[in-house]
């Protein structure tokens, strides 16, 4: 899942990560290292640091697209912080994040039907809407990357982040979870999403030391991985190792 260190200076995917070594210091990522021109229009990509407002992405990073199972992050966050505090909600949240369990998502949606819209309002996620049901919800990669960066800043011990660090190799429907942003070096945790019907459509969002990165592709998992890795030129020659 990545290497954790208290004092590191490394070049990863053409991005300089620096840790000062002081207690509590956060690594920094240079979002300027992303090369949007390398990303095909089929993919929207956003990268954020933990400094509010500091990040970069493709021209279509704010484009409203299907949230797919990335919406489960918003639902789990609502249930954990604004729900009834039950063990059931925690269990359903874990299943949604680690295994992308649709049945768990359906139960949370029935219990908290306005969860996605409430989280969108709380975090100012302009492209995120869920009133039509979580399966029809929308978001943007900018929204997802901003949301995850906010969680890392305000609640680094959130169970959501821990569950993202321990995903099941296969989702509840048998889909292998190993593509896209998860293939970048130094990624600690990832959530994936995909369309069950129609043309291929996939999404992924990950976090690492001081950064978040989100991608959505009108295409296959393999195509998303190609586009994500291609956004940083060193990875076009050497792909990040698989988990």
């Amino acid at each position: 899942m990545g290497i954790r260190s208290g004092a590191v200076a490394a070049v990863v995917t053409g991005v300089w990560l620096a840790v000062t070594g002081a207690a509590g210091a956060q690594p920094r990522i240079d979002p300027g290292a992303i090369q949007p021109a390398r990303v095909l229009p089929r993919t929207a990509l956003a990268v954020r640091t933990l400094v509010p407002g500091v990040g970069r992405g493709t021209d279509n990073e704010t484009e409203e697209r299907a949230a797919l199972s990335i919406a489960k992050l918003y639902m789990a966050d609502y249930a954990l912080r604004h729900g009834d505090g039950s063990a059931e909600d925690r269990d359903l949240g874990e299943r949604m994040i680690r295994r992308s369990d649709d049945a768990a998502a359906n139960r949370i949606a029935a219990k908290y039907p306005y969860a996605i819209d409430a989280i969108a309002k709380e975090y100012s996620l302009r492209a995120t809407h869920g009133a039509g049901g979580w399966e029809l919800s929308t978001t943007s990669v900018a929204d997802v990357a901003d949301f995850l960066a906010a969680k890392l800043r305000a609640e680094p011990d959130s169970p959501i982040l821990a569950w993202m660090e321990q995903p099941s190799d296969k989702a509840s429907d048998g889909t292998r979870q190993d593509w896209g942003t998860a293939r970048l070096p130094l990624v600690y945790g990832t959530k994936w999403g995909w369309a069950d019907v129609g043309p291929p459509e996939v999404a992924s969002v990950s976090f690492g030391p001081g950064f978040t990165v989100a991608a959505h592709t009108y295409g296959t998992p393999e195509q998303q991985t190609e586009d994500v890795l291609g956004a940083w030129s060193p990875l076009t020659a050497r792909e990040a190792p698989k988990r």
Side-chain angles (χ1 to χ4, degrees):
M1 294 299 295
I3 302 171
R4 296 185 184 237
S5 176
V8 176
V11 183
V12 180
T13 72
V15 179
W16 285 93
L17 295 172
V19 185
T20 66
Q26 287 288 342
R28 293 175 295 168
I29 187 172
D30 177 9
I34 187 177
Q35 300 183 46
R38 292 180 175 271
V39 183
L40 295 175
R42 66 190 179 193
T43 292
L45 182 67
V47 60
R48 297 291 187 265
T49 70
L50 299 194
V51 179
V54 177
R56 193 179 184 193
T58 51
D59 289 343
N60 57 0
E61 70 167 358
T62 61
E63 182 177 284
E64 188 172 320
R65 297 187 175 195
L68 307 175
S69 284
I70 300 301
K72 293 168 184 170
L73 290 171
Y74 305 142
M75 297 163 67
D77 187 49
Y78 183 91
L80 289 174
R81 295 190 301 109
H82 303 300
D84 61 14
S86 66
E88 178 189 43
D89 281 2
R90 188 180 179 92
D91 176 66
L92 293 173
E94 181 175 2
R95 286 166 52 188
M96 285 195 297
I97 305 306
R98 295 189 63 224
R99 302 180 61 231
S100 202
D101 191 316
D102 287 353
N106 290 339
R107 289 171 63 180
I108 287 292
K111 192 172 182 180
Y112 309 114
Y114 301 108
I116 295 172
D117 288 326
I119 292 299
K121 181 178 181 180
E122 181 178 352
Y123 289 88
S124 299
L125 309 179
R126 297 183 178 181
T128 301
H129 307 285
W134 78 264
E135 304 96 327
L136 302 177
S137 62
T138 62
T139 194
S140 68
V141 294
D143 280 2
V144 179
D146 286 340
F147 165 80
L148 199 57
K151 293 304 296 178
L152 287 166
R153 288 193 301 268
E155 196 182 357
D157 59 347
S158 170
I160 291 173
L161 301 175
W163 296 332
M164 289 177 68
E165 290 189 75
Q166 299 177 337
S168 299
D169 289 338
K170 291 185 178 180
S172 59
D173 68 356
T175 299
R176 187 158 187 83
Q177 303 187 123
D178 65 352
W179 74 79
T181 58
R183 300 289 286 276
L184 292 169
L186 275 159
V187 159
Y188 292 167
T190 303
K191 177 71 185 81
W192 296 266
W194 56 95
D196 292 326
V197 296
E201 185 176 350
V202 297
S204 59
V205 58
S206 301
F207 69 92
F211 71 94
T212 67
V213 56
H216 181 287
T217 301
Y218 292 122
T220 65
E222 293 77 17
Q223 288 173 321
Q224 179 167 108
T225 299
E226 177 184 357
D227 290 351
V228 169
L229 298 186
W232 287 275
S233 56
L235 286 177
T236 60
R238 181 175 60 83
E239 182 177 313
K242 298 179 180 179
R243 291 190 293 106

